[in-house]
């Protein structure tokens, strides 16, 4: 290793220290550097801190700096920034609290022993002050990230939890994070703090990149807040603080956005629901009153639809696990006020009966199963005929009859029947039933969630309900299936993506914009000299125009869910919508609505 450079004018330079060839001297010099840095007021302190930031991200499991006091140093620097605003505003010191909190988070994300060292070094109190918003949302983001890592470990969680305000601050931040980032950064382009812009883009982008990165960081701020809340949600004593009406109402909408589709937001919701619905043996319900009953009644319909899944990712026999939990719900339900509703019980019983039917069919002669399958096919064809003649209600009944006949193991045929019935529900303005059937078809399909027509039908049903995010994700999955399709009708087209799907994605991208609610509340985005745009420059119509749209005129599909408002204004609108769908059937603008073969 190189010796210390004789050209450097700073004897204690961190970068020179790192080049020291003698390991003993190197460790001694690093230890001295960490001890003395917080008390120094020299210019250029941000340079070694940014170097440590890079090292922490690249080698988060390296114990060297942990042993030499990096946590004590970072905690002291955060305190210095909070207490000495004059120092904070000097040179580039404004960056230091951000880097310090980020370094703490990086070194504690994998190693429990590092987290224990961090807690012993006293990092939690300064991180809590950043979480309070003593500086800006940028520092809140890295503080909640670091605290979330510390709360993950059994040995350090009690210390985190002993700071009672952390949970409440996290809940408030999860609910307000998007509004904070929008109003404090995104909305007024010419008022953006320069150090925020530098941190977001590393000096490599302009206004557009700043805005895109701000959306990503806002999503992370919300999701990391939920991750921290999730650590508390595993402890029964904290559930009363978490399960408050205002938070639970907003929680399902905290999805993380397309930039963060694997966010912990959904995991937190599932965890909280699991703790409500399936308490440990002997523990009893975690909350008094009707909360347990209410959650079960809300969750069961969705779980019943998912019960046909066999494997999803790393989860084996997922459907069997769902059936087992629902069976426990029936067996352990109370009486009177604490009993689940009759409709919920009926849905669970129907599911259990279908599983029993599968067992019976395994013992049936093959000839009998073939007869049942042939009978189901005849009824399905009758349903197709009724659908083509415009008798949608009659067709739906025939598909239901066919499902009752079709063997449970005939999954391909059942996919078709569920998907066809979903289309009937769409035409009958029954979006919830359409979602249920489309979901069942997607669960039965192999591979799971890859049946294009069911994805499109569910996307339309979500659109009818005004669920923009859900509709958007299904529409994107549908487009993905179209792009990979070997369907001859699609392969002959230069662009395999149907124009109506592109238009739905365009509509839902606007409706599901991460800052949409904040923009409605606070007003549109402002650049210097303009009047503001509700959606900001990134969502201008021209950006979403596609090749297939720019070359065509109005093909008569404007009525296909493209209204700004998802609700029907009157009965005439409802009838017009159904007529337009039937018109699409005749002209072939939509995907084939009824499948003849699986």
């Amino acid at each position: 290793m190189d010796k210390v450079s004789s050209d450097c004018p700073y004897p204690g330079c961190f970068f020179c220290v790192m080049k020291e060839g003698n390991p003993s001297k190197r460790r001694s010099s690093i230890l001295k550097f960490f001890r003395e840095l917080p008390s120094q007021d020299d210019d250029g302190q941000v340079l070694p801190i940014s170097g440590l930031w890079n090292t922490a991200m690249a080698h988060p499991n390296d114990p060297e700096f942990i042993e030499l006091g990096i946590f004590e140093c970072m905690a002291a620097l955060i305190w210095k920034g909070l207490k000495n605003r004059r120092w904070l505003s000097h040179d580039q010191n404004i960056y230091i609290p951000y880097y310090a909190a980020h370094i703490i988070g990086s070194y504690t994300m994998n190693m429990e022993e590092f987290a224990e060292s961090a807690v012993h070094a006293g990092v939690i109190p300064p991180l809590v002050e950043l979480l309070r918003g003593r500086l800006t949302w940028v520092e809140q983001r890295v503080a909640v990230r670091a605290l979330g890592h510390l709360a993950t470990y059994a040995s350090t969680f009690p210390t985190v939890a002993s700071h009672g305000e952390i949970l409440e601050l996290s809940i408030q931040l999860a609910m307000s994070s998007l509004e904070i980032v929008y109003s404090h950064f995104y909305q007024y382009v010419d008022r953006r703090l320069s150090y925020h812009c530098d941190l977001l883009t590393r000096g490599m982008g302009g206004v557009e990149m700043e805005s895109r990165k701000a959306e990503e960081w806002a999503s992370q701020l919300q999701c990391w807040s939920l991750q921290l809340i999730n650590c508390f949600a595993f402890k029964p004593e904290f559930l009363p603080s978490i399960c408050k009406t205002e938070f639970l109402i907003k929680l399902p909408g905290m999805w993380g956005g397309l930039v963060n589709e694997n966010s912990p937001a959904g995991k937190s919701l599932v965890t909280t629901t699991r703790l409500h619905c399936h308490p440990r043996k002997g523990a009893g319900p975690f909350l008094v009153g009707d909360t347990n009953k209410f959650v079960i009644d809300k969750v069961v319909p969705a779980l019943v639809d998912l019960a046909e899944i066999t494997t999803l990712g790393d989860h084996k026999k997922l459907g069997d696990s769902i059936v087992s939990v629902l069976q426990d719900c029936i067996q352990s339900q109370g009486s009177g006020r604490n009993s689940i509703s009759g409709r919920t019980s009926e849905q669970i019983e129907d599911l259990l009966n279908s599983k029993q039917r599968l067992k019976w069919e395994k013992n049936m002669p093959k000839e009998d199963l073939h007869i049942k399958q042939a009978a189901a096919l005849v009824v399905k064809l009758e349903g197709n005929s009724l659908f083509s003649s415009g008798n949608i209600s009659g067709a739906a009944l025939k598909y239901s009859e066919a499902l009752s006949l079709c063997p449970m193991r005939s999954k391909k045929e059942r996919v078709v029947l569920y998907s066809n019935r979903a289309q009937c529900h769409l035409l009958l303005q029954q979006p919830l039933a359409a979602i249920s059937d489309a979901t069942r078809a997607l669960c039965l399909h192999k591979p799971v969630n890859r049946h294009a027509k069911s994805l499109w039908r569910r996307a339309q049903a979500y659109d009818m309900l005004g669920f923009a995010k859900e509709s958007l994700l299904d529409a994107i999955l549908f487009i993905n299936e179209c792009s990979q399709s070997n369907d001859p009708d699609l392969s002959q087209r230069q662009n395999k993506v149907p124009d109506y799907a592109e238009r739905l994605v365009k509509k839902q991208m606007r409706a599901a914009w991460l800052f949409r609610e904040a923009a409605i509340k606070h007003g549109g985005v402002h650049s210097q000299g303009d009047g503001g745009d509700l959606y900001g420059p990134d969502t201008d119509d021209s950006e979403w125009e596609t090749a297939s749209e720019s070359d065509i005129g109005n093909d008569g599909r404007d009525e296909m869910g493209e209204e700004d408002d998802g609700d029907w204004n009157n009965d005439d609108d409802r009838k017009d919508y159904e007529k337009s769908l039937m018109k699409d059937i005749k002209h072939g603008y939509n995907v084939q609505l009824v499948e003849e073969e699986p």
Side-chain angles (χ1 to χ4, degrees):
M1 188 175 289
D2 296 336
K3 294 182 179 180
V4 177
S5 172
S6 59
D7 298 330
C8 182
Y10 305 104
C13 172
F14 177 75
F15 298 104
C16 293
V17 166
M18 293 299 293
K19 294 179 181 179
E20 172 60 57
N22 186 312
S24 179
K25 288 184 178 180
R26 180 176 181 272
R27 286 179 61 85
S28 177
S29 297
I30 294 173
L31 179 64
K32 181 181 178 182
F33 175 82
F34 285 150
R35 286 178 177 173
E36 295 180 353
L37 182 62
S39 61
Q40 295 175 354
D41 293 324
D42 300 333
D43 291 349
Q45 286 186 321
V46 72
L47 294 177
I49 302 300
S50 64
L52 289 168
W53 170 76
N54 276 307
T55 301
M57 289 199 300
H59 308 286
N61 300 335
D62 189 336
E64 182 182 24
F65 290 162
I66 311 300
E67 298 166 355
L68 297 176
I70 193 170
F71 288 137
E72 290 84 353
C73 180
M74 296 303 109
L77 286 170
I78 295 173
W79 278 126
K80 187 173 184 178
L82 291 169
K83 296 177 179 180
N84 190 341
R85 293 305 175 101
R86 185 175 181 180
W87 172 82
L88 189 66
S89 61
H90 178 69
D91 194 35
Q92 292 183 306
N93 294 339
I94 190 67
Y95 294 85
I96 291 178
Y98 170 87
Y99 282 132
H102 202 296
I103 289 167
I104 293 170
S106 295
Y107 275 123
T108 56
M109 65 181 173
N110 297 327
M111 309 291 287
E112 185 167 6
E113 56 267 37
F114 290 3
E116 292 171 354
S117 297
V119 169
H120 186 264
V123 302
I124 293 179
L127 289 174
V128 171
E129 293 305 307
L130 294 182
L131 187 66
R132 290 182 191 277
R134 286 279 301 277
L135 293 181
T136 71
W137 65 271
V138 166
E139 289 80 18
Q140 282 181 303
R141 170 180 169 270
V142 287
V144 77
R145 169 179 177 262
L147 289 168
H149 293 325
L150 294 172
T152 301
Y153 306 109
S155 60
T156 52
F157 175 80
T159 309
V160 175
S162 68
H163 295 262
E165 66 270 42
I166 288 180
L167 177 56
E168 181 59 33
L169 289 170
S170 301
I171 291 173
Q172 292 301 321
L173 190 57
M175 292 192 293
S176 62
S177 54
L178 303 185
E179 185 177 340
I180 289 172
V181 178
Y182 180 80
S183 60
H184 287 72
F185 181 85
Y186 195 100
Q187 183 178 17
Y188 293 97
V189 175
D190 53 333
R191 299 183 192 175
R192 294 175 177 177
L193 296 178
S194 59
Y195 91 96
H196 284 182
C197 297
D198 290 341
L199 288 172
L200 283 163
T201 66
R202 303 293 161 199
M204 301 297 290
V207 171
E208 183 177 347
M209 181 176 287
E210 291 168 8
S211 298
R212 292 189 184 279
K213 291 297 290 185
E215 287 193 57
E216 181 179 342
W217 279 28
S219 170
Q220 291 171 347
L221 178 58
Q222 184 178 71
C223 292
W224 288 340
S225 299
L226 290 166
Q227 179 64 41
L228 179 52
I229 297 167
N230 194 35
C231 297
F232 285 86
F234 280 98
K235 310 292 183 180
E237 61 268 28
F238 296 106
L239 281 176
S241 298
I242 296 172
C243 298
K244 294 181 179 178
T245 302
E246 182 185 10
F247 178 62
L248 292 181
I249 288 173
K250 292 185 177 181
L251 180 59
M254 299 179 191
W255 71 313
L258 290 178
V259 296
N260 212 5
E261 68 274 9
N262 294 319
S263 77
K267 297 177 184 177
S268 296
L269 177 60
V270 169
T271 299
T272 304
T273 304
R274 178 183 65 81
L275 289 171
H276 278 74
C277 296
H278 199 54
R280 294 168 299 183
K281 288 185 178 180
F286 288 129
L287 296 180
V288 297
D290 295 330
T291 307
N292 194 44
K293 168 184 176 296
F294 174 80
V295 174
I296 292 176
D297 285 342
K298 291 294 183 183
V299 169
V300 163
L303 290 179
V304 168
D305 292 339
L306 296 172
E308 296 289 353
I309 294 178
T310 52
T311 300
L312 186 64
D314 296 331
H315 301 282
K316 308 297 182 183
K317 297 184 177 180
L318 180 59
D320 292 343
S321 298
I322 291 173
V323 172
S324 176
V325 169
L326 295 178
Q327 194 167 17
D328 287 346
C329 286
I330 287 288
Q331 294 173 350
S332 62
Q333 68 168 313
S335 59
R337 291 184 59 190
N338 292 323
S339 63
I340 59 179
S341 70
R343 175 58 180 156
T344 299
S345 297
E346 181 182 335
Q347 289 177 305
I348 298 176
E349 291 292 352
D350 287 344
L351 174 62
L352 297 178
N353 289 338
S354 70
K355 294 301 178 182
Q356 187 63 44
R357 175 182 161 190
L358 178 61
K359 292 180 181 179
W360 290 338
E361 289 179 354
K362 288 181 179 179
N363 298 320
M364 289 180 65
K366 288 185 178 180
E367 293 78 7
D368 291 350
L369 288 174
H370 290 157
I371 291 172
K372 287 171 65 69
Q373 188 165 337
L377 175 61
V378 170
V379 176
K380 184 192 84 169
L381 294 176
E382 292 174 357
N384 290 355
S385 178
L386 289 171
F387 185 93
S388 298
S389 66
N391 186 351
I392 309 302
S393 298
L397 291 174
K398 285 295 181 181
Y399 295 138
S400 297
E401 183 182 347
L403 280 165
S404 68
L405 292 169
C406 187
M408 300 295 290
R409 286 184 291 179
S410 301
K411 293 187 177 182
K412 289 184 178 180
E413 289 79 3
R414 295 182 71 82
V415 167
V416 173
L417 290 168
Y418 276 124
S419 193
N420 283 0
R421 195 171 68 176
Q423 185 57 55
C424 292
H425 290 312
L426 277 175
L427 288 168
L428 295 170
Q429 307 300 318
Q430 298 167 347
L432 289 174
I435 290 168
S436 176
D437 278 347
T439 300
R440 294 186 182 206
L442 289 164
C443 291
L444 285 168
H445 189 263
K446 288 189 177 181
V448 172
N449 215 38
R450 295 283 300 274
H451 188 243
K453 295 179 181 180
S454 295
L455 285 168
W456 177 244
R457 288 161 186 168
R458 195 169 67 175
Q460 290 176 299
Y462 280 135
D463 181 46
M464 291 170 69
L465 291 170
F467 294 168
K469 291 177 285 193
E470 292 81 359
S471 176
L472 172 61
L473 293 176
D474 275 351
I476 290 173
L477 289 171
F478 168 70
I479 288 175
N480 184 58
E481 290 303 308
C482 288
S483 66
Q484 301 177 30
S485 174
N486 295 320
D487 189 322
D489 292 336
L490 287 175
S491 61
Q492 294 173 5
R493 296 175 50 176
Q494 184 176 3
N495 180 7
K496 289 187 178 182
V497 179
D499 57 285
Y500 51 81
E502 291 178 345
R503 284 202 300 275
L504 182 62
V505 167
K506 171 184 171 181
K507 171 190 174 183
Q508 307 300 26
M509 285 288 284
R510 293 173 67 91
W513 182 41
L514 196 67
F515 293 132
R516 179 177 173 83
E517 290 185 11
I520 292 173
K521 180 176 179 179
H522 292 277
V525 177
H526 293 261
S527 297
Q528 192 169 7
D530 70 21
D533 176 3
L534 177 60
Y535 298 101
D538 293 341
T539 52
D540 184 87
D541 277 348
S542 59
E543 179 170 339
W544 302 113
E545 182 174 283
T546 61
S548 64
E549 285 185 292
S550 61
D551 296 335
I552 62 175
N554 188 319
D555 60 4
R557 292 191 49 84
D558 286 350
E559 298 87 351
M560 284 292 293
E562 294 297 329
E563 298 87 348
D564 291 335
D565 189 342
D567 296 329
W568 302 108
N569 295 324
N570 51 51
D571 289 340
D572 290 337
D573 288 344
R574 187 188 301 271
K575 293 176 181 177
D576 288 344
Y577 182 85
E578 184 168 343
K579 287 179 180 178
S580 70
L581 281 175
M582 295 307 295
K583 178 181 178 182
D584 290 325
I585 297 172
K586 296 177 181 178
H587 290 84
Y589 290 130
N590 206 341
V591 291
Q592 185 181 1
L593 292 179
V594 174
E595 299 174 80
E596 295 293 339
E597 299 298 335

